[in-house]
Structure formats: structure tokens, C-alpha cells
Amino acid sequence: MSHFLPSGIQNMLPDIIQLVYLLATGIFIIGIKRLGSPATARSGNQLAALGMFIGIVVTLFDQQIISFDYIIGGILLGSAIGAFAAKKVEMTAMPEMVAIFNGFGGGASALVAWGELSRVADPTILAGQDLVTIGLSILIGSITFTGSFIAFGKLQGFISGNPVTFSGQNFFNALLTIVSLVLVGWLAFDPANQLIFWILFGIALLLGMMTVLPIGGADMPVVISLLNSYSGLAASMAGFVINNNLLIISGALVGAAGLILTNIMCKAMNRTLGNVLFGAFGGDNSDSGGPAADTDKTVRETTAQDVALQCAYADKVVITPGYGLAVAQAQHVLKEVVDKLEKKGVEVKYGIHPVAGRMPGHMNVLLAEADVPYDQLYDMDQINPEFKSTDVVLVIGANDVVNPTAKTTKGSPIYGMPILDVDEAKRTIVFKRSLSPGFAGIDNPLFYVETNQMFFGDAKETLQDLSQALNEV
């Protein structure tokens, strides 16, 4: 395209392209920064997309493109699929969609590296550092691809959410990692040997599967954020492969952001990343099929009318949502309940645990869909000091993140995990299908304390009953 420009502009074109790349990078960074708050996340996502769009246009203008037919076709097809998926995906399936997007991002980076290696008739003319980045891009991208689709399968339910392990698995995974790194070096030393490439490619795909299979459902938020980081690192490697500064920087930013988020998720569960990856912790205990609770303990069951009376005459009500709210698709009914309480003069806040749901920010996205005001959403550190002055806490679909065992029982697998201190409130009401445990697979003593009541049933149905009962209070 550049040969149609005047010679003066052609001479300045490399500098102009780098300046536009710098502008696109700045827009992308601002967009990432705005993703840190629910109030600015939407505009941040749009800004980041704009930055990448500018980068794509400039890259196409910079490169010697012979035909745009396939490129335009790919853009139109991909845009249509993305728009359809974004419109049709249910909020409960948002983690699965994020996992798929991570996988496609990693796979695309691996394909870029493969294409660059195949483009050169004689790979031995490539510089050593280029061959290393090609190998790393294939390795990280392939791990991300298969790992993400295993995560998708676990979240979707056609792969068991329980840890899938065998004797010596950690040793086997470590061996695969070492062999993969050796093959990256071997590929840089002997790039003409196609067999090395295909062995590396196959082992990387296998390593991605073997890394995620032994991780239980309780750790899916960490896995999602870690795979997001991997996809960013793979993109950054692909940027080195094709010598594209924007891709290098944007990929590094996504990789760093994903690692920071992964660290936040681990701290929120009082776990190390190594324990998440190799501990085989947690399972897929659904609310209707998990182990039975302790039947010798007293459970105080309540009704919609009783809950309505307690909430309507309370000064402050805090709602702590969990994945069960998403499963029941009850966020809009919950908003109706809160609106009615606010009309009665009740102060209502939402307490959000960092790992509530199955991906980072799942509850924030869920409540935002129901038009819950951002200033009513409080993270764990903000809301915990307020529970002592709270009259009623509605625990809707949450379990492990409100389990007092994390504070009291040293032998518990969740001991030391920061939780929402709902047990300090005057009254807790747990909306739940049954007394079965959450992903951690342990009973919750909160269910049996005198200040707690259980409101059994589907979250959407019980909230609808509560909304109706509030009309009569």
C-alpha cells in the first residue's frame, strides 16, 4: 500500500508508523487502567479495543499485503461470531466464554509463530533470538490453547470439576516442561528439522491439558486469570516473532495484569500459586448433589414472609452473592427486592468476595447486568468492618466465601482464607437449595448457628417469593 504514497511521505512512513503504534499503545494502557473499576470498565474495554484496532490498521498499512480478500473475510466472520457469542451467552456461561477466548488468543499466537517459521524457505537464516521466540510462542500459545479448553470443559460440566490425577502426575508434568524447554533450544539450534517442531507442538498441547486437569472447580477463578496471563505472554512472544512493538507491549501488559490478578485471587483464598497448580484441591460439589450435612445439628428454616418482615424493618441489609445467584439467573429479581427495600428506607449494600463465582469479577458483571449501582458494590476489605452494625445479611448462592471454618478450624483445607465476616451480623439468612457443601467439599457451620436461618429453594424462586411478600409488609 505504501508505494502509492509520495516519496517524501514514504521516507517518513517508518517514523509515522511507530508514532501511531505509540498512540495505540497509550490508548490501550488507558483502557486497561479503566478496567480496574466497574464504573469505568465498559469505556476501558472500548478504549482498549480502539487501541488494538488502530494497531491492526497500521500493521496492514505497513506490511506488503498482496490481497486483502482473506483478511477482510476473516475480520467479518470473526466479528460476527464474537457479536453473536456476546449477545447470546448467559451470565452463568461467562467464565466459559472467557476461557474460550483465552484459548483462541493462545492458539492464534502459536499459529503466528508457525506461519513465520513456515514462511522462510530456509529457516537457518533466521537469527537465534528469533527462533527462540518462535519456540516460546508455540510453547506458551499451545499450553494456553488446550489448557483453556480443558477449563471450559470443567466449567461446562462435560469434564469432571473434580481434580483428575494419577500417581506421579506432578513429576510427569515437570518432565514435560523440561522436555519442552529443551526442544525450544533444539529448535533454535536446528530449525530445519521439522520433526523437532512437531514434537514441541504436540508436547505443548499435552502439557496444557495435563496442567489444568488436576485443578479442582474451587480454583477455577485462579485458572481463568492465569490462562489470561498466558495468552498475553503468548501474544507478546508473537510480537517478537513478527517484530511488532504494539503486540509486544500489549501482550506484556495483559500478561502482567493476569499475573497480578492471579496473585490477588491466590491471596483471597490464602493459597500459593504452586498449591493451586499442584495441590489438586476442591471439587465439583453442586448444591443438590454434594455430601450430606450434619443431620444432628439444628437448622432453622424460614419463609418468604418472615424474611420480608426482618428486612423491611431493618436499618441496614447487606447482600453477599455467589455462583448460585448466577446459576439461578436471579440478579434481576434481586434488584427488584433491593428496590422495594430502599423504598422502605432500608440501606442496602452488596459485599463481593474476590473469588465469588467462577472467574474474577463474575459477581460484579452479574450485578452490573441488572443495573445495580456501582457505589453499592463493596469489596471484602470495605464491607467486613460493617457486618457488626448490619441487621440482616442475605447470603445468596455463596458458601465457602462465608464459611467461618476458615477462621476457626486449623485442620480445615480453607483455614486462613479471608472470608466475608457475615457471622458477625445480627442475623444471616442463607438462600440455598440444600445443606450440601460448596466447591471446597466441607460443611458450613454458619448454617447451624442461632443467628442464622435457611431459606431453601432455587434462588430465583425464593427471591420472587420474597419480592411478593414485601408488597404485603
Side-chain angles (χ1 to χ4, degrees), residues 42 80-91 94 97 369:
R42 184 186 296 272
I81 294 173
F84 178 81
K87 290 289 185 182
K88 292 296 183 180
V89 67
E90 296 181 356
M91 197 55 62
M94 192 64 69
M97 188 175 76
E369 188 202 21

Side-chain angles (χ1 to χ4, degrees), residues 316-363:
K316 182 196 292 186
V317 172
V318 174
I319 298 167
T320 58
Y323 184 66
L325 180 70
V327 171
Q329 300 182 39
Q331 62 271 23
H332 295 284
V333 184
L334 175 60
K335 180 65 164 55
E336 292 178 11
V337 169
V338 171
D339 288 343
K340 292 179 180 181
L341 289 176
E342 289 178 331
K343 287 181 180 179
K344 297 179 183 296
V346 180
E347 180 186 10
V348 181
K349 297 181 178 180
Y350 297 81
I352 312 296
H353 193 280
V355 296
R358 289 191 172 184
M359 74 173 185
H362 196 182
M363 294 300 103

